Amino acid sequence: MIRTLLVANRGEIACRVFRTCRDLGIATVAVHSDPDAGALHVRRADAAVRLPGAAPADTYLRGDLVVKAALAAGADAVHPGYGFLSENADFARAVLDAGLVWIGPPPEAIEAMASKTRAKKLLGVASLERVTAGDLPVLVKAAAGGGGRGMRVVRELADLPAALEAARAEALSAFGDGEVFVEPYVEGGRHVEVQILADTHGTVWPLGTRDCSLQRRHQKVVEEAPAPGLPQRLTESLYETAVRAARATGYTGAGTVEFLVAADGTAHFLEMNTRLQVEHPVTEALHGIDLVAQQIRIAEGAALDAEPPRPRGHAVEARLYAEDPAAGWTPQTGVLHRLAFPDGVRVDTGYADGDTIGVHYDALLAKAVAHAPTRAEAVRALARALESAAVHGPPTNRDLLVRSLRHPEFTEGRADTGFYDRHLAALTAPPPGEAYAAVAAALADAAARPGPGAWRNVPSQPQTKTYNGHEVRYRRTRDGHTLDDHPDVRVVSATPAEVRLDVGGVVRPYRVTAYTDPRTAHAAHVVHVDTPTGSHRLTPRPRFPDPTVRTAPGSLLAPMPGTVVRVADGLREGARVEAGQPLLWLEAMKMEHRVTAPASGTLTALHAAPGHQVEVGTLLAVVSPAQEEDQE
């Protein structure tokens, strides 16, 4: 029996495993990097061991340090979570060699499925070896790893060499393995997967299907179980392949077999993930089981029942990320002031109010899961929970999630992996009602700063405040506040925390929370306005902008905090560049972001080099536009 378990991971998944351990009466041990010293998963554990450093390569990817931590803390088992070392066969062996229990499949099974090319051969699925114009489009993929890293879609044969080079470089950086392969790219396909659970006595459960088609950059955003609209014959075929993959590798524990289902119903094997998946909660909700508890029991030698529990209803999960979808899914950092969801949904998170979202790791804030008797009810409940949640801090993809869940393609079960390619612009448009939220923010601020005399009998100049480009002009009167530019709005009441507005005869409350800039400790840095029909993140325009903030024409500033991982080959000061030409790549929160030339011209300064850590606004390079050169 396992008494003390170390989770070789961080954040949400570490907290998730700890929760099950508490239910089972198992003591817990966390490991943490220096930036994670005060993280929620560390605070939730019974003991914690420091892994010196910040970068994953120096901390969470150091299997030798993790094993030493487990032994030092007196743990007798290790759970890898997902990501990091979860699919590393050498780490699994090191855990077992140290006399510890490994909560996962045998190292040999991990090894068999670690390379997508080897996995395809094992299951008799060939990958494309030669590419001709008739094969296009194709997908270049890293043989190791996942999460969208080392993947490129190629639609023109001339683009293939550059795509191969970029995919190899990214795969080598992310997984230490630069092997890539090419396979047909299925347009309009659905990402469908089968959860399996296998014990050490020969029983393998196919635990239903999941649809994970809503993806950005080949990373999942919304998942559901069961996959809607699959013919029974296709479902049974997917089950058969998943069970065959498990038996072929002597698999034990939890795993996932992934497929791409084309519009004509043809299923293409993608890969097998030899670990717990991020989206496992929808399967848990559907079947009424705890997959982490099952993993632990299987590792202890327990046998599964002959048949898996029957599914019940429908479950949907949405991943809340600190990112700006409208700006190329740029990761965001800063203080998460508040994160609160209404009752009725499951929320898995690695953050608590007041925690800081850093630059070193994944941008996932939380996973929200709704379960209901029908798909329509589950989708409706999840959309409403996200809409009414309080998410105060950096920009997030919350509005995108709500709109995605309510989009006809999704509600009708027709969404595929190209969903965001088609609809991103509409899904990221400014939220409706933002102008009224700005009115509420201005009036709440006025209520918090009552002026002398409160009101005047003689006409006065209006007070003016601007939020997100919305200018609000208001006056104080004997009867309260009046608005100069919103004749359709009547101010019912205004306090620093809540403003009630009558808009066209409908009265709604606007809950206002202003957060100060820690650097100034007085001026509102960001204002969150929560309403029954949505929330708004507003940035006030300062009355007196800082005159020292200047940038030279052609300056290329870091759009996010991160690490410079690559600079374009041969790029040096004095080189001619074209508008849109990739100059360098930043890695932030496990994603690579390409930084391009803002205009055609000459690179007159280059301040970035591989390995450099940069903050938002750091000067990376300067490009003198061709027009300026001609004038000179």
Side-chain angles (χ1 to χ4, degrees):
M1 296 291 290
I2 295 169
R3 293 181 174 82
T4 303
L5 183 147
L6 179 144
V7 175
N9 219 295
R10 64 175 301 280
E12 172 266 324
I13 185 58
C15 293
R16 161 71 188 91
V17 175
F18 291 160
R19 185 170 69 241
T20 289
C21 287
R22 285 197 303 273
D23 294 341
L24 297 178
I26 296 173
T28 56
V29 180
V31 289
H32 67 86
S33 65
D34 290 338
D36 274 345
L40 184 63
H41 78 278
V42 177
R43 306 198 299 269
R44 291 272 174 88
D46 296 312
V49 180
R50 176 191 175 217
L51 304 176
D58 300 326
T59 54
Y60 297 109
L61 290 174
R62 284 286 303 273
D64 56 334
L65 297 183
V66 174
V67 171
K68 288 180 181 178
L71 296 174
D76 44 26
V78 173
H79 192 297
Y82 52 70
F84 293 131
L85 295 167
S86 62
E87 295 181 277
N88 186 305
D90 289 338
F91 176 61
R93 288 192 182 94
V95 170
L96 294 169
D97 290 346
L100 303 167
V101 177
W102 168 248
I103 311 296
E108 295 75 20
I110 298 174
E111 214 157 44
M113 289 295 175
S115 167
K116 296 179 181 64
T117 52
R118 289 198 301 271
K120 287 175 180 289
K121 291 176 182 177
L122 181 65
L123 294 178
V125 181
S127 60
L128 199 64
E129 295 180 356
R130 295 185 60 193
V131 179
T132 66
D135 299 318
L136 299 170
V138 295
L139 186 65
V140 180
K141 297 177 67 174
R149 308 295 296 276
M151 296 178 70
R152 299 291 188 278
V153 177
V154 179
R155 300 184 183 278
E156 300 290 338
L157 196 58
D159 296 335
L160 182 60
L164 288 169
E165 181 182 357
R168 285 188 184 113
E170 187 174 0
L172 186 63
S173 171
F175 314 121
D177 184 346
E179 181 189 356
V180 298
F181 66 99
V182 180
E183 65 183 10
Y185 180 64
V186 180
E187 301 275 12
R190 293 173 56 189
H191 187 117
V192 177
E193 57 193 34
V194 176
Q195 173 73 58
I196 62 166
L197 198 64
D199 63 18
T200 57
H201 306 276
T203 300
V204 180
W205 283 355
L207 274 172
T209 58
R210 295 189 291 250
D211 190 304
C212 311
S213 297
L214 265 62
Q215 302 179 4
R216 52 96 163 107
R217 293 187 170 187
H218 306 291
Q219 291 184 315
K220 302 162 189 173
V221 178
V222 175
E223 304 102 348
E224 59 181 311
L230 289 187
Q232 184 61 32
R233 179 180 296 179
L234 176 58
T235 300
E236 291 173 357
S237 174
L238 299 183
Y239 284 176
E240 188 276 332
T241 301
V243 171
R244 182 157 53 94
R247 296 197 185 283
T249 57
Y251 200 88
T252 60
T256 298
V257 182
E258 301 192 344
F259 305 88
L260 193 62
V261 178
D264 63 1
T266 304
H268 302 266
F269 170 78
L270 290 177
E271 62 182 315
M272 181 177 183
N273 289 308
T274 54
R275 54 172 168 78
L276 198 66
Q277 292 276 91
V278 179
E279 58 271 22
H280 75 274
V282 292
T283 298
E284 293 184 321
L286 190 70
H287 291 271
I289 64 173
D290 183 331
L291 285 173
V292 174
Q294 293 291 346
Q295 285 184 295
I296 292 172
R297 291 180 181 124
I298 288 171
E300 291 178 328
L304 295 171
D305 293 338
E307 297 295 330
R310 295 180 62 84
R312 179 177 53 86
H314 200 93
V316 189
E317 172 182 288
R319 302 189 193 184
L320 182 68
Y321 286 101
E323 65 184 12
D324 186 351
W329 311 97
T330 307
Q332 304 292 307
T333 59
V335 177
L336 181 64
H337 299 287
R338 188 172 183 223
L339 181 64
F341 279 80
D343 294 336
V345 294
R346 167 178 168 175
V347 178
D348 288 6
T349 181
Y351 291 94
D353 294 358
D355 285 350
T356 297
I357 304 161
V359 66
H360 295 95
Y361 311 111
D362 191 84
L364 180 68
L365 294 184
K367 302 180 312 194
V369 186
H371 178 240
T374 68
R375 180 177 187 269
E377 290 175 294
V379 171
R380 180 177 64 188
L382 182 57
R384 180 58 182 157
L386 285 161
E387 182 178 54
S388 54
V391 186
H392 297 177
T396 72
N397 68 335
R398 187 255 297 274
D399 290 343
L400 173 101
L401 294 174
V402 174
R403 294 177 182 182
S404 299
L405 292 167
R406 290 174 175 167
H407 193 281
E409 274 192 29
F410 183 79
T411 58
E412 296 168 12
R414 298 185 289 110
D416 57 46
T417 54
F419 180 81
Y420 288 123
D421 294 334
R422 295 190 298 274
H423 304 299
L424 186 61
L427 295 171
T428 56
E434 189 175 78
Y436 299 129
V439 169
L443 297 178
D445 183 68
R449 306 167 186 270
W455 64 275
R456 300 178 182 179
N457 266 328
V458 296
S460 62
Q461 291 296 315
Q463 299 292 314
T464 303
K465 290 186 175 66
T466 303
Y467 300 87
N468 287 18
H470 299 284
E471 186 176 80
V472 182
R473 289 153 43 95
Y474 64 92
R475 302 172 191 266
R476 300 176 187 271
T477 70
R478 181 195 299 269
D479 300 319
H481 293 91
T482 62
L483 301 167
D484 279 23
D485 302 320
H486 294 276
D488 60 330
V489 177
R490 180 175 65 88
V491 182
V492 177
S493 62
T495 70
E498 183 178 277
V499 174
R500 298 180 71 84
L501 300 178
D502 181 328
V503 180
V506 179
V507 177
R508 287 189 174 93
Y510 293 75
R511 297 182 301 278
V512 182
T513 310
Y515 296 95
T516 59
D517 186 338
R519 293 169 297 183
T520 62
H522 62 275
H525 178 56
V526 65
V527 180
H528 287 271
V529 180
D530 298 313
T531 80
T533 56
S535 298
H536 305 269
R537 183 182 187 275
L538 306 176
T539 302
R541 186 175 70 189
R543 292 181 61 193
F544 307 106
D546 186 352
T548 65
V549 178
R550 298 284 189 272
T551 57
S555 294
L556 195 60
L557 307 180
M560 70 201 78
T563 304
V564 178
V565 291
R566 283 190 289 145
V567 174
D569 289 343
L571 188 68
R572 58 180 57 87
E573 292 181 1
R576 294 284 299 183
V577 298
E578 299 296 325
Q581 175 183 335
L583 301 182
L584 54 92
W585 287 259
L586 287 177
E587 183 176 79
M589 297 181 174
K590 295 172 63 178
M591 294 171 63
E592 274 198 7
H593 303 267
R594 186 174 60 179
V595 179
T596 61
S600 298
T602 301
L603 184 71
T604 55
L606 180 62
H607 301 286
H612 283 182
Q613 293 278 340
V614 298
E615 297 297 328
V616 173
T618 298
L619 181 63
L620 302 174
V622 178
V623 175
S624 295
Q627 185 177 2
E628 290 185 10
E629 294 173 358
D630 294 341
Q631 290 175 349
E632 292 175 1

